Amino acid sequence: MKMMKWGAAALALGLVHFAVPAEAAGGKTLETVKARGVLNCTGHDGSYLGFAEVDDKGNWKGMDIDLCKAVATAVFGDPAKLKIVPISWAQRWPSLQSGDVDIIIKASGGTLSRDTELGLQFSMSYYLGTTKVMAHKELNLKSLKDANGGTICIPAGTSQEQQVAAYAQKLGIKLEPVLIEKTEELEQAYFSGRCDLYAQWGPTLAIARIAKSKVEDHVILPDVLAVEPEVMIMRQGDDNWVDIANWTLSALIFAEQEGITSKNVDEIKAKPTSPQVAKFLGATPGMGKGLGLADDWAYNVIKKVGNYGEIFERDLGKDSPYKMDRELTNLWNNGGVVFPLVID
């Protein structure tokens, strides 16, 4: 009787939801990408160490590049069906809106103006970054407040411009900005002494200092100007494409959470550890239909690109030249804030 009463009350409140069979999805962007045969994804106009690097033979690597490969693999089952389009920071939005690229994966933050004024949509955050400032050690600065009147190198066309201005105003100091588009030129300006300070995404500062073998000569100040969630960015109006981006990222994270790697994925697919894992790897159906993808798309992503932890360590962490710690960009059960969506 109690259950019957609860059921009637739930119906009255609209709390009972009846399952609706999922239809095979497939938005316009997915259709366009499939028809073209390759995914057009963002690179950088030069190298953005750890995230988008290109060698003299035109080979790309880095965390952003690996995420591009993951999306291409989700769609095609093959990370090679990917075209990296080198663009500047300022070119990101026009390139997306014009269709020159299908998705932006380029150390880009999700902001209100990008959503409401530029008509963009975001994935979940794939990296939680902080904006920080590096200074020449010889200046003997303890914090940014000590830098009043100094010059500061800032990447042009990025959210760091506004972040520096807002933080300086908050401190009541004046800084002279030096705005430069290309990362290599920006770093040259700072390391040559043209600027007293260098404002950037925290990981980029740490990597630049290591890459220049200048760790002892430069200090990253304790100030945190902003915390910015880095996201994959799509055009508004195609929810299916946003879903594919989100579930690709979630697949990378879920695999790490469940201990599924590129090395053991075949073994686990043959003997799944749970019904969720069986569905995830395509051993049982249901992972792909609602997205317009094959049921084994997540298996292909992990097999050919690796899980989130493998990508991080390869591009930024212990297996890279940069030896960065995961910090907040670690799993929820390992001291970080990274978590997957639920596979059911």
CSV table of all heavy atoms in Angstrom, one decimal, residues 116-166:
chain,number,residue,atom,x,y,z
A,116,THR,N,27.9,33.2,-24.8
A,116,THR,CA,26.7,34.1,-25.1
A,116,THR,C,26.9,35.1,-26.2
A,116,THR,O,25.9,35.5,-26.9
A,116,THR,CB,26.3,34.8,-23.8
A,116,THR,OG1,27.3,35.7,-23.4
A,116,THR,CG2,25.9,33.9,-22.7
A,117,GLU,N,28.1,35.5,-26.5
A,117,GLU,CA,28.4,36.5,-27.5
A,117,GLU,C,28.9,35.9,-28.8
A,117,GLU,O,28.6,36.3,-29.9
A,117,GLU,CB,29.3,37.5,-27.0
A,117,GLU,CG,28.8,38.3,-25.8
A,117,GLU,CD,29.8,39.3,-25.3
A,117,GLU,OE1,30.8,39.6,-26.0
A,117,GLU,OE2,29.7,39.7,-24.1
A,118,LEU,N,29.7,34.8,-28.7
A,118,LEU,CA,30.3,34.2,-29.9
A,118,LEU,C,29.6,32.9,-30.4
A,118,LEU,O,29.9,32.4,-31.4
A,118,LEU,CB,31.8,33.8,-29.6
A,118,LEU,CG,32.7,35.0,-29.2
A,118,LEU,CD1,34.1,34.5,-29.0
A,118,LEU,CD2,32.7,36.0,-30.4
A,119,GLY,N,28.6,32.5,-29.6
A,119,GLY,CA,27.8,31.3,-30.0
A,119,GLY,C,28.5,30.0,-30.0
A,119,GLY,O,28.4,29.2,-30.9
A,120,LEU,N,29.3,29.8,-28.9
A,120,LEU,CA,30.1,28.6,-28.8
A,120,LEU,C,29.5,27.7,-27.7
A,120,LEU,O,28.8,28.1,-26.8
A,120,LEU,CB,31.5,28.9,-28.5
A,120,LEU,CG,32.2,29.9,-29.4
A,120,LEU,CD1,33.6,30.3,-28.9
A,120,LEU,CD2,32.3,29.4,-30.8
A,121,GLN,N,29.8,26.4,-27.8
A,121,GLN,CA,29.4,25.4,-26.8
A,121,GLN,C,30.7,24.7,-26.3
A,121,GLN,O,31.6,24.5,-27.1
A,121,GLN,CB,28.4,24.4,-27.3
A,121,GLN,CG,27.0,25.0,-27.4
A,121,GLN,CD,26.0,23.9,-27.8
A,121,GLN,OE1,25.9,23.6,-29.0
A,121,GLN,NE2,25.3,23.4,-26.8
A,122,PHE,N,30.6,24.3,-25.1
A,122,PHE,CA,31.8,23.7,-24.4
A,122,PHE,C,31.6,22.2,-24.0
A,122,PHE,O,30.4,21.8,-23.7
A,122,PHE,CB,32.2,24.5,-23.2
A,122,PHE,CG,32.2,26.0,-23.4
A,122,PHE,CD1,31.6,26.8,-22.4
A,122,PHE,CD2,32.8,26.5,-24.5
A,122,PHE,CE1,31.7,28.2,-22.6
A,122,PHE,CE2,32.9,27.9,-24.7
A,122,PHE,CZ,32.3,28.7,-23.7
A,123,SER,N,32.7,21.5,-24.0
A,123,SER,CA,32.6,20.2,-23.3
A,123,SER,C,32.9,20.3,-21.8
A,123,SER,O,33.1,21.5,-21.3
A,123,SER,CB,33.8,19.3,-23.9
A,123,SER,OG,35.0,19.8,-23.5
A,124,MET,N,32.9,19.2,-21.1
A,124,MET,CA,33.4,19.2,-19.8
A,124,MET,C,34.9,19.7,-19.8
A,124,MET,O,35.5,19.6,-20.9
A,124,MET,CB,33.4,17.8,-19.2
A,124,MET,CG,32.0,17.2,-19.1
A,124,MET,SD,32.0,15.7,-18.2
A,124,MET,CE,33.3,14.7,-19.0
A,125,SER,N,35.4,20.1,-18.7
A,125,SER,CA,36.8,20.5,-18.6
A,125,SER,C,37.8,19.3,-18.7
A,125,SER,O,37.6,18.3,-18.1
A,125,SER,CB,37.1,21.3,-17.3
A,125,SER,OG,38.5,21.6,-17.2
A,126,TYR,N,38.8,19.4,-19.6
A,126,TYR,CA,39.8,18.3,-19.7
A,126,TYR,C,41.1,18.7,-19.0
A,126,TYR,O,41.9,17.9,-18.8
A,126,TYR,CB,40.1,18.0,-21.1
A,126,TYR,CG,40.8,19.0,-22.0
A,126,TYR,CD1,42.2,19.1,-22.0
A,126,TYR,CD2,40.1,19.9,-22.8
A,126,TYR,CE1,42.8,20.1,-22.7
A,126,TYR,CE2,40.7,20.8,-23.6
A,126,TYR,CZ,42.1,20.9,-23.6
A,126,TYR,OH,42.7,21.8,-24.3
A,127,TYR,N,41.2,20.0,-18.5
A,127,TYR,CA,42.4,20.4,-17.8
A,127,TYR,C,42.0,21.6,-17.0
A,127,TYR,O,41.4,22.6,-17.6
A,127,TYR,CB,43.5,20.7,-18.7
A,127,TYR,CG,44.9,20.8,-18.0
A,127,TYR,CD1,45.8,19.7,-18.0
A,127,TYR,CD2,45.2,21.9,-17.3
A,127,TYR,CE1,47.0,19.8,-17.3
A,127,TYR,CE2,46.4,22.0,-16.6
A,127,TYR,CZ,47.3,20.9,-16.6
A,127,TYR,OH,48.5,21.0,-16.0
A,128,LEU,N,42.2,21.6,-15.7
A,128,LEU,CA,42.0,22.8,-14.9
A,128,LEU,C,43.3,23.6,-14.7
A,128,LEU,O,44.2,23.1,-14.0
A,128,LEU,CB,41.4,22.4,-13.5
A,128,LEU,CG,40.9,23.5,-12.6
A,128,LEU,CD1,39.8,24.3,-13.3
A,128,LEU,CD2,40.4,23.0,-11.3
A,129,GLY,N,43.4,24.7,-15.4
A,129,GLY,CA,44.6,25.5,-15.4
A,129,GLY,C,44.5,26.8,-14.6
A,129,GLY,O,43.4,27.3,-14.5
A,130,THR,N,45.6,27.2,-14.1
A,130,THR,CA,45.7,28.5,-13.4
A,130,THR,C,46.5,29.5,-14.3
A,130,THR,O,47.5,29.1,-14.9
A,130,THR,CB,46.3,28.4,-12.0
A,130,THR,OG1,47.6,27.8,-12.2
A,130,THR,CG2,45.5,27.5,-11.1
A,131,THR,N,46.1,30.7,-14.2
A,131,THR,CA,47.0,31.8,-14.8
A,131,THR,C,47.9,32.3,-13.8
A,131,THR,O,47.5,32.7,-12.7
A,131,THR,CB,46.1,32.9,-15.4
A,131,THR,OG1,45.2,32.4,-16.4
A,131,THR,CG2,46.9,34.0,-16.0
A,132,LYS,N,49.2,32.3,-14.1
A,132,LYS,CA,50.2,32.7,-13.2
A,132,LYS,C,51.2,33.6,-13.9
A,132,LYS,O,51.1,33.9,-15.1
A,132,LYS,CB,50.9,31.5,-12.6
A,132,LYS,CG,50.0,30.5,-11.9
A,132,LYS,CD,50.6,29.6,-10.9
A,132,LYS,CE,50.9,30.3,-9.6
A,132,LYS,NZ,51.5,29.4,-8.6
A,133,VAL,N,52.2,34.1,-13.1
A,133,VAL,CA,53.2,35.0,-13.6
A,133,VAL,C,54.6,34.6,-13.3
A,133,VAL,O,54.8,34.2,-12.1
A,133,VAL,CB,52.9,36.5,-13.1
A,133,VAL,CG1,54.1,37.4,-13.5
A,133,VAL,CG2,51.6,37.0,-13.6
A,134,MET,N,55.5,34.6,-14.2
A,134,MET,CA,56.9,34.3,-14.0
A,134,MET,C,57.7,35.6,-14.1
A,134,MET,O,57.4,36.5,-14.9
A,134,MET,CB,57.4,33.3,-15.0
A,134,MET,CG,58.8,32.8,-14.8
A,134,MET,SD,59.2,31.2,-15.7
A,134,MET,CE,58.9,31.7,-17.4
A,135,ALA,N,58.7,35.7,-13.2
A,135,ALA,CA,59.6,36.9,-13.2
A,135,ALA,C,61.0,36.5,-13.2
A,135,ALA,O,61.4,35.4,-12.7
A,135,ALA,CB,59.2,37.7,-11.9
A,136,HIS,N,61.9,37.4,-13.7
A,136,HIS,CA,63.3,37.2,-13.6
A,136,HIS,C,63.7,37.2,-12.1
A,136,HIS,O,63.4,38.1,-11.3
A,136,HIS,CB,64.0,38.3,-14.3
A,136,HIS,CG,63.7,38.4,-15.8
A,136,HIS,ND1,64.4,37.6,-16.7
A,136,HIS,CD2,62.8,39.1,-16.5
A,136,HIS,CE1,63.9,37.8,-17.9
A,136,HIS,NE2,63.0,38.7,-17.8
A,137,LYS,N,64.4,36.2,-11.7
A,137,LYS,CA,64.8,36.0,-10.3
A,137,LYS,C,65.5,37.2,-9.7
A,137,LYS,O,65.4,37.6,-8.6
A,137,LYS,CB,65.5,34.7,-10.0
A,137,LYS,CG,65.7,34.3,-8.6
A,137,LYS,CD,66.3,33.0,-8.5
A,137,LYS,CE,66.4,32.5,-7.0
A,137,LYS,NZ,67.0,31.2,-6.9
A,138,GLU,N,66.4,37.8,-10.6
A,138,GLU,CA,67.2,38.9,-10.2
A,138,GLU,C,66.4,40.2,-9.7
A,138,GLU,O,66.9,41.0,-9.0
A,138,GLU,CB,68.2,39.3,-11.3
A,138,GLU,CG,67.5,39.8,-12.5
A,138,GLU,CD,68.4,40.1,-13.7
A,138,GLU,OE1,69.5,39.5,-13.7
A,138,GLU,OE2,68.0,40.8,-14.6
A,139,LEU,N,65.1,40.2,-10.1
A,139,LEU,CA,64.3,41.3,-9.7
A,139,LEU,C,63.9,41.2,-8.2
A,139,LEU,O,63.4,42.2,-7.6
A,139,LEU,CB,63.0,41.4,-10.5
A,139,LEU,CG,63.3,41.7,-12.0
A,139,LEU,CD1,61.9,41.7,-12.8
A,139,LEU,CD2,63.9,43.1,-12.2
A,140,ASN,N,64.0,40.0,-7.7
A,140,ASN,CA,63.8,39.8,-6.2
A,140,ASN,C,62.3,40.1,-5.8
A,140,ASN,O,62.1,40.7,-4.8
A,140,ASN,CB,64.7,40.5,-5.4
A,140,ASN,CG,64.8,40.0,-3.9
A,140,ASN,OD1,64.6,38.8,-3.7
A,140,ASN,ND2,65.1,40.9,-3.0
A,141,LEU,N,61.4,39.7,-6.7
A,141,LEU,CA,60.0,39.9,-6.4
A,141,LEU,C,59.4,38.8,-5.5
A,141,LEU,O,59.7,37.6,-5.8
A,141,LEU,CB,59.2,40.0,-7.7
A,141,LEU,CG,59.6,41.1,-8.7
A,141,LEU,CD1,58.7,41.0,-10.0
A,141,LEU,CD2,59.5,42.5,-8.1
A,142,LYS,N,58.7,39.2,-4.5
A,142,LYS,CA,58.0,38.2,-3.7
A,142,LYS,C,56.6,37.8,-4.2
A,142,LYS,O,56.1,36.7,-4.0
A,142,LYS,CB,58.0,38.7,-2.2
A,142,LYS,CG,59.3,39.0,-1.7
A,142,LYS,CD,60.3,37.8,-1.7
A,142,LYS,CE,61.6,38.2,-1.0
A,142,LYS,NZ,62.6,37.1,-1.1
A,143,SER,N,56.0,38.8,-4.8
A,143,SER,CA,54.6,38.6,-5.3
A,143,SER,C,54.4,39.7,-6.4
A,143,SER,O,55.3,40.6,-6.6
A,143,SER,CB,53.6,38.7,-4.3
A,143,SER,OG,53.4,40.1,-3.8
A,144,LEU,N,53.3,39.6,-7.1
A,144,LEU,CA,53.1,40.5,-8.2
A,144,LEU,C,52.9,41.9,-7.7
A,144,LEU,O,53.2,42.9,-8.5
A,144,LEU,CB,51.8,40.1,-9.0
A,144,LEU,CG,51.6,40.7,-10.4
A,144,LEU,CD1,52.8,40.5,-11.3
A,144,LEU,CD2,50.3,40.2,-11.0
A,145,LYS,N,52.5,42.1,-6.5
A,145,LYS,CA,52.3,43.4,-5.9
A,145,LYS,C,53.6,44.2,-5.9
A,145,LYS,O,53.6,45.5,-6.0
A,145,LYS,CB,51.7,43.4,-4.5
A,145,LYS,CG,51.3,44.7,-4.0
A,145,LYS,CD,50.5,44.5,-2.7
A,145,LYS,CE,49.9,45.9,-2.2
A,145,LYS,NZ,49.1,45.7,-1.0
A,146,ASP,N,54.7,43.5,-5.9
A,146,ASP,CA,56.1,44.2,-5.9
A,146,ASP,C,56.5,44.6,-7.3
A,146,ASP,O,57.5,45.3,-7.4
A,146,ASP,CB,57.1,43.2,-5.3
A,146,ASP,CG,56.8,42.8,-3.9
A,146,ASP,OD1,56.2,43.6,-3.2
A,146,ASP,OD2,57.2,41.6,-3.6
A,147,ALA,N,55.7,44.3,-8.3
A,147,ALA,CA,56.1,44.6,-9.7
A,147,ALA,C,55.5,45.9,-10.3
A,147,ALA,O,55.5,46.0,-11.5
A,147,ALA,CB,55.7,43.4,-10.6
A,148,ASN,N,55.0,46.7,-9.4
A,148,ASN,CA,54.4,48.0,-9.9
A,148,ASN,C,55.3,48.7,-10.9
A,148,ASN,O,56.4,49.0,-10.6
A,148,ASN,CB,54.0,48.9,-8.7
A,148,ASN,CG,53.2,50.1,-9.1
A,148,ASN,OD1,52.4,50.0,-10.0
A,148,ASN,ND2,53.3,51.2,-8.4
A,149,GLY,N,54.7,49.1,-12.1
A,149,GLY,CA,55.5,49.8,-13.1
A,149,GLY,C,56.2,48.9,-14.0
A,149,GLY,O,56.9,49.4,-15.0
A,150,GLY,N,56.2,47.6,-13.8
A,150,GLY,CA,57.0,46.7,-14.7
A,150,GLY,C,56.3,46.4,-16.0
A,150,GLY,O,55.1,46.7,-16.2
A,151,THR,N,57.0,45.8,-16.9
A,151,THR,CA,56.5,45.3,-18.2
A,151,THR,C,56.1,43.8,-18.1
A,151,THR,O,56.8,43.1,-17.4
A,151,THR,CB,57.5,45.5,-19.3
A,151,THR,OG1,58.7,44.9,-19.0
A,151,THR,CG2,57.8,47.0,-19.5
A,152,ILE,N,55.0,43.5,-18.7
A,152,ILE,CA,54.6,42.1,-18.6
A,152,ILE,C,54.2,41.5,-20.0
A,152,ILE,O,53.4,42.1,-20.7
A,152,ILE,CB,53.4,41.9,-17.6
A,152,ILE,CG1,53.0,40.5,-17.5
A,152,ILE,CG2,52.2,42.8,-18.0
A,152,ILE,CD1,52.1,40.2,-16.3
A,153,CYS,N,54.8,40.5,-20.4
A,153,CYS,CA,54.5,39.8,-21.7
A,153,CYS,C,53.3,39.0,-21.5
A,153,CYS,O,53.1,38.2,-20.5
A,153,CYS,CB,55.7,38.9,-22.1
A,153,CYS,SG,57.1,39.7,-22.8
A,154,ILE,N,52.3,39.1,-22.4
A,154,ILE,CA,51.0,38.4,-22.4
A,154,ILE,C,50.7,37.9,-23.8
A,154,ILE,O,50.9,38.7,-24.8
A,154,ILE,CB,49.9,39.4,-21.9
A,154,ILE,CG1,50.3,40.1,-20.6
A,154,ILE,CG2,48.6,38.6,-21.7
A,154,ILE,CD1,49.3,41.2,-20.2
A,155,PRO,N,50.2,36.7,-23.9
A,155,PRO,CA,49.8,36.2,-25.2
A,155,PRO,C,48.6,37.0,-25.8
A,155,PRO,O,47.6,37.1,-25.1
A,155,PRO,CB,49.5,34.7,-25.0
A,155,PRO,CG,49.2,34.6,-23.6
A,155,PRO,CD,50.1,35.7,-22.9
A,156,ALA,N,48.8,37.6,-26.9
A,156,ALA,CA,47.7,38.4,-27.5
A,156,ALA,C,46.5,37.6,-27.9
A,156,ALA,O,46.7,36.4,-28.3
A,156,ALA,CB,48.2,39.2,-28.7
A,157,GLY,N,45.3,38.1,-27.8
A,157,GLY,CA,44.1,37.4,-28.2
A,157,GLY,C,43.6,36.3,-27.3
A,157,GLY,O,42.8,35.5,-27.7
A,158,THR,N,44.1,36.4,-26.0
A,158,THR,CA,43.7,35.4,-25.1
A,158,THR,C,43.0,36.0,-23.9
A,158,THR,O,43.0,37.2,-23.7
A,158,THR,CB,44.9,34.6,-24.6
A,158,THR,OG1,45.7,35.4,-23.8
A,158,THR,CG2,45.7,34.0,-25.7
A,159,SER,N,42.4,35.2,-23.0
A,159,SER,CA,41.7,35.7,-21.8
A,159,SER,C,42.7,36.2,-20.8
A,159,SER,O,42.3,36.9,-19.9
A,159,SER,CB,40.9,34.5,-21.2
A,159,SER,OG,41.6,33.4,-21.0
A,160,GLN,N,44.0,35.8,-21.0
A,160,GLN,CA,45.0,36.3,-20.0
A,160,GLN,C,45.1,37.9,-20.0
A,160,GLN,O,45.5,38.4,-19.0
A,160,GLN,CB,46.4,35.7,-20.3
A,160,GLN,CG,46.6,34.4,-19.7
A,160,GLN,CD,46.2,33.2,-20.6
A,160,GLN,OE1,46.0,33.5,-21.8
A,160,GLN,NE2,46.2,32.0,-20.1
A,161,GLU,N,44.8,38.5,-21.1
A,161,GLU,CA,44.9,40.0,-21.2
A,161,GLU,C,43.9,40.6,-20.1
A,161,GLU,O,44.3,41.4,-19.3
A,161,GLU,CB,44.4,40.5,-22.6
A,161,GLU,CG,45.4,40.1,-23.7
A,161,GLU,CD,45.0,40.7,-25.0
A,161,GLU,OE1,44.6,41.9,-25.0
A,161,GLU,OE2,45.0,40.0,-26.0
A,162,GLN,N,42.7,40.1,-20.1
A,162,GLN,CA,41.7,40.6,-19.1
A,162,GLN,C,42.1,40.2,-17.7
A,162,GLN,O,41.8,40.9,-16.8
A,162,GLN,CB,40.3,40.1,-19.5
A,162,GLN,CG,39.7,40.7,-20.8
A,162,GLN,CD,40.3,40.0,-22.1
A,162,GLN,OE1,40.7,38.9,-22.0
A,162,GLN,NE2,40.4,40.7,-23.2
A,163,GLN,N,42.6,39.0,-17.6
A,163,GLN,CA,42.9,38.5,-16.2
A,163,GLN,C,44.0,39.3,-15.6
A,163,GLN,O,44.0,39.6,-14.4
A,163,GLN,CB,43.3,37.0,-16.3
A,163,GLN,CG,42.2,36.1,-16.7
A,163,GLN,CD,42.6,34.7,-17.1
A,163,GLN,OE1,43.8,34.4,-17.1
A,163,GLN,NE2,41.6,33.9,-17.4
A,164,VAL,N,45.1,39.7,-16.4
A,164,VAL,CA,46.2,40.5,-15.9
A,164,VAL,C,45.6,41.9,-15.5
A,164,VAL,O,46.0,42.4,-14.4
A,164,VAL,CB,47.3,40.6,-16.9
A,164,VAL,CG1,48.3,41.6,-16.5
A,164,VAL,CG2,48.0,39.2,-17.1
A,165,ALA,N,44.8,42.5,-16.4
A,165,ALA,CA,44.3,43.8,-16.1
A,165,ALA,C,43.5,43.8,-14.9
A,165,ALA,O,43.6,44.7,-14.0
A,165,ALA,CB,43.5,44.3,-17.3
A,166,ALA,N,42.6,42.8,-14.7
A,166,ALA,CA,41.7,42.8,-13.5
A,166,ALA,C,42.5,42.6,-12.3
A,166,ALA,O,42.2,43.2,-11.2
A,166,ALA,CB,40.7,41.7,-13.7
